[in-house]
Amino acid sequence: MSAKPAPTVVLVHGAFADAGSWSGVIAELHDHGVAVVAPPNPLRGLASDAAYIASVASQIDGPVVLVGHSYGGALITVAGTTENVVGLVYVAAYVLEEGESLGELQGRFPLSPLVSNLKEATYPVEGAEPAVEVTIEAEAFPAVFAADVPADVTKVLAVAQRPLAAGAFEETASAAAWKTKPSWALVAGADEAINPEVEHFGAQRAGATTVEIDGASHAIAVSQPKAVAQLILDAVRATS
């Protein structure tokens, strides 16, 4: 019997970051001969962002493993229903149930320091009132997002963070792909952006193969790319 083709890994960044946050992970995956795509996440709303990621995945020839960091986890939960997606990897991420919002899931647990350190701004919406978007206050960014990342790197990340539309917290997931696709999860034990209890709960509910890294911040893909890549490689091997 011939082996199944190796999946392409699609890395979906979360809020307050960009695709460059995966650079260390991409290097590790390339060292193992894995094909990778790291698209920009629009960060404008759960349904529209998930539709974009689903579109990226569906245009890849062959199987796909979707990897989502943070808010990206909510997106792969919905986009993962795409036919050629064979596995889901959650990295310090939200794992939603169908019909659930980020706000609902978060609200079941003590709030993380992120919530009280968000800064609001507005952006134009054609034919409608301006909408609200949020970023992390620059002075709070290192402690909240990337406590285990060198200070000089953190300063750059804080300046380059991409805002998330505030409405994304209230939108509900239209599907939960983990019900029909195998999943893996990495819990960042010292996460101050998403309560690690939220990460654990979602991963357990999804029946994900779970690894926890003590002392890891929310920016675990930046601080510990080898560990993140290892879990992704486990998923790639299991689905090949």
Side-chain angles (χ1 to χ4, degrees), residues 219-238:
I220 189 169
V222 179
S223 63
Q224 304 209 32
K226 276 189 193 308
V228 174
Q230 187 52 60
L231 189 66
I232 296 168
L233 288 167
D234 290 348
V236 166
R237 287 170 188 141

Side-chain angles (χ1 to χ4, degrees), residues 44 119-125 129-134:
R44 296 291 77 158
K119 179 177 155 190
E120 291 190 355
T122 59
Y123 64 95
V125 179
E129 290 292 307
V132 175
E133 62 183 13
V134 291

Side-chain angles (χ1 to χ4, degrees), residues 1 29 33 80-81 84 108 129 132 148 174 178 181 229 231 233:
M1 195 169 76
L29 294 174
T81 57
N84 62 329
R108 296 193 189 131
E129 290 292 307
V132 175
D148 57 352
S174 60
W178 48 259
K181 314 268 171 104
L231 189 66
L233 288 167

Side-chain angles (χ1 to χ4, degrees), residues 87-190:
L88 309 165
V89 182
Y90 294 94
V91 179
Y94 293 106
V95 187
L96 295 180
E97 169 64 282
E98 187 176 345
E100 184 177 61
S101 70
L102 297 173
E104 273 179 87
L105 175 56
Q106 230 170 222
R108 296 193 189 131
F109 300 89
L111 293 177
S112 72
L114 170 79
V115 181
S116 57
N117 286 290
L118 290 176
K119 179 177 155 190
E120 291 190 355
T122 59
Y123 64 95
V125 179
E126 197 177 341
E129 290 292 307
V132 175
E133 62 183 13
V134 291
T135 51
I136 302 171
E137 293 278 7
E139 59 276 13
F141 187 91
V144 168
F145 199 87
D148 57 352
V149 175
D152 56 338
V153 177
T154 314
K155 279 180 186 164
V156 175
L157 296 177
V159 172
Q161 58 177 308
R162 289 187 50 210
L164 174 67
F169 289 102
E170 305 310 320
E171 276 189 70
T172 58
S174 60
W178 48 259
K179 292 183 174 177
T180 56
K181 314 268 171 104
S183 59
W184 289 259
L186 193 59
V187 174

